[in-house]
Amino acid sequence: MSEAIYPAGSVYDWIPKEQEEIKKPPRYVSKFRPAVILEHMLTKDAKKTMGPPKVELPSPDKYLKKHSKHPKPPEKSEDGHKTRTCAVRKPAVPRRTEKPLMGIQTKRNFLQTTVMFPMKPKAISVDTKEGHKQLLENSGLVPKYVMKKDYGEVPMYLQLRSEAERKAQAENQRLVREQNVLQRLTEEDHQAVLKGLKKKWDELHREYQGLPLLIDTPSKKTRKICLEEKMSQLEKDISFFESIVMSSGNPPPVAPSSVLVVESTH
């Protein structure tokens, strides 16, 4: 209360204050302490962490040598002959003068050997409550496809599929034959195609001349490469048409579809 009323530096601060003695609680001591001490003394051994009291030191002559732990082959005998592991010797190879044994018969009974192995039981069916049994194959529950009326015949869906494939193949062959039939161009058509090719080349050349001098972007480079490829292809087509006319004097045979493609593109 005095600290709240009077400010710091008051004369009342010089009055000695009584200090309250702090009493600590008594130290906790386990009731099992004597038993733990006794158990610890019983299990404690002398020199437990320092190894056994007597250790046999290795002999200086028994040091580790090179290749001492590698497996070693068996030692050879004194006479130099190889040791035989098999006690029974194989029969010798027959000589050329010896005749083979004839009329040797076996005493094995093959019928008895076959009977010893049990046969696989056949499937049966029980059709009455008294337990009457009969073979499942003769009961009529197992379908026998060999008894069908249309057994061995080609199904209808396969016949229709084969017919559709045959018609598609015939139609494809007909279209191929029609496309392979060439038609000779007239002089007027040939000149028109050649003129269209040259006109298209002039347009591409004019567009190529209009490209900027500095080509530093990917789009400009792509445009330049595309124009060069188109002009190169047109030059090949023009030289092809002119070389055929110069060599034979007649227009080249061209299919109708090719003429339409050339006229539409150029």
Side-chain angles (χ1 to χ4, degrees):
M1 187 68 181
S2 60
E3 294 178 0
I5 297 175
Y6 300 101
S10 176
V11 293
Y12 292 98
D13 295 339
W14 296 96
I15 301 175
K17 298 179 182 179
E18 297 181 358
Q19 295 183 357
E20 297 180 0
E21 185 179 358
I22 300 174
K23 295 182 179 181
K24 297 182 179 181
R27 183 179 180 182
Y28 172 77
V29 178
S30 176
K31 63 180 180 179
F32 301 103
R33 179 181 176 84
V36 172
I37 294 174
L38 180 61
E39 183 179 357
H40 177 69
M41 294 298 293
L42 293 176
T43 58
K44 187 174 181 181
D45 297 333
K47 302 181 181 179
K48 185 175 181 180
T49 59
M50 300 301 293
K54 294 182 180 180
V55 180
E56 183 180 359
L57 298 176
S59 176
D61 301 334
K62 298 180 180 180
Y63 57 89
L64 185 62
K65 299 180 181 180
K66 188 177 182 181
H67 304 299
S68 60
K69 295 185 178 182
H70 290 189
K72 298 180 180 180
E75 297 181 358
K76 296 183 179 181
S77 58
E78 297 179 359
D79 54 356
H81 296 286
K82 296 182 179 179
T83 57
R84 298 182 179 272
T85 57
C86 184
V88 181
R89 299 186 64 179
K90 296 182 180 180
V93 180
R95 299 180 180 180
R96 295 173 57 186
T97 57
E98 295 181 2
K99 295 182 179 180
L101 299 177
M102 304 297 294
I104 300 177
Q105 297 181 1
T106 180
K107 297 181 180 180
R108 182 179 178 183
N109 190 357
F110 292 96
L111 295 177
Q112 185 179 2
T113 306
T114 307
V115 172
M116 289 176 61
F117 296 97
M119 298 178 63
K120 185 178 180 181
K122 296 183 180 180
I124 59 176
S125 65
V126 180
D127 53 356
T128 60
K129 62 181 181 179
E130 286 80 8
H132 177 259
K133 299 179 181 179
Q134 63 174 345
L135 295 176
L136 184 62
E137 185 178 359
N138 301 331
S139 63
L141 301 176
V142 179
K144 295 184 179 181
Y145 299 101
V146 294
M147 305 300 294
K148 295 176 65 176
K149 295 181 180 180
D150 56 348
Y151 178 77
E153 298 180 0
V154 181
M156 183 57 63
Y157 75 95
L158 291 179
Q159 296 179 8
L160 296 176
R161 184 185 299 176
S162 301
E163 185 67 19
E165 291 178 357
R166 187 184 61 79
K167 289 183 180 180
Q169 188 175 4
E171 183 68 18
N172 187 19
Q173 293 178 358
R174 186 184 63 81
L175 293 176
V176 170
R177 287 196 300 270
E178 290 181 358
Q179 291 180 1
N180 290 337
V181 176
L182 299 180
Q183 180 181 357
R184 189 171 296 278
L185 290 176
T186 60
E187 184 65 24
E188 291 80 7
D189 295 340
H190 178 264
Q191 294 296 333
V193 172
L194 190 59
K195 184 177 180 181
L197 292 174
K198 292 182 179 180
K199 183 179 179 181
K200 184 65 177 178
W201 187 88
D202 293 339
E203 293 177 358
L204 294 177
H205 186 262
R206 190 180 304 106
E207 187 176 356
Y208 184 79
Q209 293 292 336
L211 292 176
L213 297 177
L214 183 60
I215 299 177
D216 52 352
T217 59
S219 59
K220 293 180 181 180
K221 295 179 181 179
T222 305
R223 182 60 179 167
K224 180 182 177 183
I225 295 173
C226 183
L227 290 175
E228 290 177 351
E229 291 178 355
K230 290 182 179 179
M231 291 172 63
S232 177
Q233 184 63 33
L234 286 174
E235 290 175 359
K236 292 180 182 179
D237 297 341
I238 292 171
S239 61
F240 173 73
F241 270 82
E242 292 179 349
S243 63
I244 292 180
V245 172
M246 292 173 62
S247 61
S248 61
N250 297 324
V254 182
S257 59
S258 302
V259 175
L260 293 177
V261 171
V262 171
E263 291 180 354
S264 62
T265 55
H266 303 295

